[in-house]
Structure formats: C-alpha cells, structure tokens
Amino acid sequence: MTLKTLDGALALLTHFTVRQPTWGVRELAKHSGVHYAVVHRVLATFAANGFLVQDAATGKYSLGLRLFELGQVVRKSFSPDEIVRPVLEKLAAQSGETVFLSWLDGHEGLCVGLVQSQHQLRFSIELGERFPLYAGAHAKAMLAFQNDAFRDEVYRQGMEKMGPHTTLDRDTIEAQLAEVRQHGWAHTREEAAASVAGLALPLWSRDRSAVIGSVAIAGPQQRLGDDAVPRLLEALRDASGRLEDVIGFVR
C-alpha cells in the first residue's frame, strides 16, 4: 500500500462523525467523490481489521471496537478525565454556563471535554463534535494564533462547504482575530448559534510556539454580555492554567 493510498483510506474514515456515524458504500462514494469500488475495498479492509463493523441488515458501516480501544489510549495519554472533568465542572459551576475543551485537529476544531449548563436555556455542543474555526469564541481563540497559510486554508474549506453562492466575510473575521491576539481571549455573539455568546482562552503548546486548543464558556448572550466578561475571565484563566498543567501545556 502506498502512502497516497493510505492517505485516501484514512480520509474516508474521517467521514464517520458524531452527526454521521454510519455510511453505506454508495452514499460515502457519492459524498466523498471517491470511486465506488475504492470505497467498497477500503471499508471492507477496515471492517476485516476491526476498525469498522457492517450491519448485516442494512449493509452500512459504523466505527468498530478497535477504534474504541485506541480511543481509550488517546484519552488516557491526552487528558485524564478524572482530573480534567473536575476543572471543567468547577468552571461550569462558577459561570453557570456550558463549558468545553477543544482541540485543534487539522483545519477544524474538535470538542474533547464538556460539562453542560444546568439552565434549561443553554448552548448545545456534543462531545466529539467537530466545528469550523471561523465562527465562535471557542474557534477564534485557536484560529487567531495560526499563520496566514493556515487561515487561508480554513477560509477556503469554509467557502467550499458553504457552496458557490455564499462567501465568508474574511476582512471582518481577520479584524476580529486581530482583537483576539491583542486581548489574549475571544468574546463573540451569535456566531456559532443564534442568541448565543461565548468567551474562550487559547491553550498553548509546551514550548509556547503554537496554540493547539481552547477552553470556552458558552450560553445565552443575555447572560454572557460585556459586563460578564471580567468576572468570567478570572475563572476561565484559573481553569486554563489547571488544564494546561494536566494535559501537557504550560502557562
């Protein structure tokens, strides 16, 4: 197997997400633009090795236990839940809002830690959910500190997903990112979802050379207005420091 073939096979695997956990061969081929025969061969190979399982009735594939096993290895080495979760729970209690930890994965964000608000009206995001980097405080806290080429690719992918008749207001986003870099934190309103505001801090690599994650608070904008920022920032900074110590970052 060549590296190009392996790369293509792994790319097909990334289509299995929280929102789309199962795929038939034909629908995945159509969605990915990869030939049916190639998709069929790749999915069958993954299934033979335990990375996927095929439903006997529908013929559709879903993620297998081998990936679950590998996920447990990642979970233990990346963010020990017994330590990370109490930090997120404390921040959720202090803020009264949904709190989540995100990881930069390729040119997208990935929610890897989550504590939901106890309020009936709250921001909704799922553990394991991916999100674009150009909307929301949790995303912009990461995107603001990436280089020009990285941001160019994020915008390109965003416009591709939106379709030919929709464009991103790149100049506005770039101005907002400049403010994030200046302040060191991101505060947004109604970007990731209607009537929702967010406040987030970036998380840096060990050598402080790159931002590779973020920790965020999100909820209704009437509860997360400008007047709430100073109070929440103090709690958010305390949480980010504790998280950095635990998951291999340093302040």
Side-chain angles (χ1 to χ4, degrees):
M1 177 181 286
T2 66
L3 288 178
K4 184 176 181 180
T5 302
L6 178 60
D7 185 67
L10 293 174
L12 287 175
L13 198 61
T14 65
H15 289 279
F16 291 83
T17 65
V18 171
R19 295 188 180 280
Q20 183 75 45
T22 62
W23 288 95
V25 175
R26 292 189 183 281
E27 62 179 335
L28 182 54
K30 182 178 179 180
H31 181 80
S32 65
V34 179
H35 192 276
Y36 170 86
V38 174
V39 175
H40 182 272
R41 185 165 60 250
V42 167
L43 297 191
T45 301
F46 276 132
N49 288 276
F51 292 97
L52 294 176
V53 292
Q54 186 179 28
D55 188 289
T58 66
K60 291 188 175 184
Y61 289 86
S62 58
L63 299 181
L65 288 178
R66 181 60 180 143
L67 285 173
F68 175 78
E69 293 171 2
L70 293 176
Q72 298 310 298
V73 176
V74 173
R75 184 185 67 81
K76 290 180 179 179
S77 61
F78 162 62
S79 55
D81 191 58
E82 66 273 13
I83 301 176
V84 170
R85 187 167 182 82
V87 174
L88 298 181
E89 288 177 341
K90 179 181 178 181
L91 183 57
Q94 290 174 317
S95 64
E97 307 297 345
T98 295
V99 169
F100 52 102
L101 175 67
S102 299
W103 188 252
L104 188 64
D105 188 32
H107 290 86
E108 297 179 303
L110 177 68
C111 177
V112 297
L114 172 68
V115 175
Q116 291 281 11
S117 167
Q118 296 303 306
H119 290 291
Q120 186 173 3
L121 182 61
R122 63 192 185 193
F123 175 63
S124 179
I125 188 171
E126 294 185 49
L127 193 63
E129 182 175 337
R130 292 181 176 274
F131 53 84
L133 294 175
Y134 49 78
H138 55 307
K140 288 181 174 175
M142 293 187 284
L143 183 60
F145 298 93
Q146 308 307 315
N147 61 38
D148 292 346
F150 185 100
R151 299 201 307 277
D152 286 343
E153 180 61 17
V154 168
Y155 299 141
R156 186 194 69 76
Q157 291 184 15
M159 292 177 66
E160 187 177 80
K161 290 180 180 179
M162 290 180 177
H165 304 297
T166 306
T167 59
L168 287 172
D169 188 350
R170 178 170 178 159
D171 289 342
T172 298
I173 296 174
E174 283 292 307
Q176 293 168 342
L177 297 181
E179 291 186 4
V180 174
R181 288 190 291 271
Q182 178 184 356
H183 297 310
W185 46 268
H187 182 219
T188 61
R189 302 176 186 81
E190 294 194 292
E191 291 189 0
S195 302
V196 170
L199 181 66
L201 286 177
L203 295 173
W204 292 80
S205 60
R206 184 177 298 277
D207 60 3
R208 301 292 293 180
S209 64
V211 167
I212 53 178
S214 70
V215 58
I217 300 170
Q221 59 180 343
Q222 62 264 33
R223 297 201 302 258
L224 285 179
D226 290 339
D227 57 332
V229 170
R231 171 181 59 86
L232 294 177
L233 268 179
E234 182 178 353
L236 194 57
R237 284 173 175 144
D238 178 68
S240 68
R242 295 176 184 275
L243 289 171
E244 287 175 342
D245 291 340
V246 170
I247 59 179
F249 300 112
V250 292
R251 276 173 281 186

